[in-house]
Amino acid sequence: MKRKWMVLIASIVAIMLCISVVFYFWHKEQQKKDAVAKYALLEEYSYAGGTLHMEADTSEYDQTGDPNDIELMPTDLTYDLLQRWEAIAEVIPTIDYPEEAVEKEDWLEVFSTLANNRFDMEEASEKLAERVTNETPESMVINSYIYKGMIRRNYFREFLEENGIEGPDQ
């Protein structure tokens, strides 16, 4: 009878040990996934802030370690970029402008929309360039204008003027 109890206790201990080992590795894997997700979110805040010319308040994040506690704050350069982007989106329908996200100050969504527009901006730039023969076409004229306010080709300056969009030097 004693032997049965010993076998039973040994079996229970072995099962508990196996469960503990499985839980340990599962928990480690979850920690790794959480760390990767946290790092990805930190990168997204960094890219969004840099691209949209924003400042970041990290004081709460410094205390909590939660990237969602980072606050992106628009600057004058941010508002200039948004103004250029909105003006271009009004005359080129293939380019999306996230009006609702801007109103809600959902800067990660604004950044995501801008990033997702990149190829549409390049395609629209190429179509604008098809109208001219005396200048070298450039596929980044719209991107350069929206991101930095740069007008690198005369044909693009003319396009802006035709559509009532003020350039940075006007």
Side-chain angles (χ1 to χ4, degrees):
M1 191 72 151
K2 240 181 173 181
R3 188 170 194 275
K4 284 184 181 181
W5 282 106
M6 293 299 276
V7 170
L8 181 63
I9 291 173
S11 297
I12 291 173
V13 168
I15 291 171
M16 289 176 55
L17 184 60
C18 287
I19 290 172
S20 296
V21 168
V22 167
F23 180 75
Y24 171 80
F25 285 111
W26 175 83
H27 182 70
K28 282 292 195 190
E29 188 62 29
Q30 283 302 117
Q31 284 181 323
K32 189 185 294 184
K33 286 179 182 178
D34 290 347
V36 167
K38 182 178 176 179
Y39 182 75
L41 187 55
L42 284 171
E43 278 190 326
E44 189 173 4
Y45 272 100
S46 177
Y47 291 142
T51 301
L52 298 173
H53 312 293
M54 304 184 99
E55 293 179 358
D57 178 0
T58 61
S59 58
E60 195 169 334
Y61 164 74
D62 293 339
Q63 294 174 4
T64 65
D66 182 358
N68 292 303
D69 290 334
I70 296 172
E71 183 182 353
L72 293 175
M73 299 172 298
T75 64
D76 290 342
L77 292 174
T78 306
Y79 291 118
D80 292 344
L81 179 148
L82 294 172
Q83 184 178 19
R84 290 188 298 268
W85 182 9
E86 185 175 28
I88 291 292
E90 286 177 6
V91 296
I92 302 176
T94 58
I95 296 175
D96 297 323
Y97 179 77
E99 189 171 338
E100 189 176 317
V102 171
E103 288 173 10
K104 290 180 180 179
E105 296 186 353
D106 183 351
W107 302 119
L108 293 182
E109 179 63 27
V110 171
F111 167 71
S112 176
T113 303
L114 184 59
N116 290 334
N117 269 286
R118 178 184 173 109
F119 296 114
D120 291 327
M121 290 177 195
E122 289 176 11
E123 188 175 304
S125 294
E126 289 169 4
K127 285 182 181 177
L128 286 174
E130 289 174 359
R131 302 183 326 174
V132 298
T133 56
N134 59 345
E135 277 188 81
T136 305
E138 183 182 334
S139 65
M140 300 295 284
V141 292
I142 293 175
N143 289 344
S144 295
Y145 176 70
I146 290 175
Y147 284 92
K148 299 177 184 165
M150 295 172 57
I151 301 175
R152 297 160 52 125
R153 297 287 186 257
N154 286 328
Y155 67 85
F156 185 64
R157 182 180 309 281
E158 291 168 7
F159 166 79
L160 294 175
E161 289 170 0
E162 289 169 8
N163 288 283
I165 301 171
E166 292 186 17
D169 58 351
Q170 296 175 325

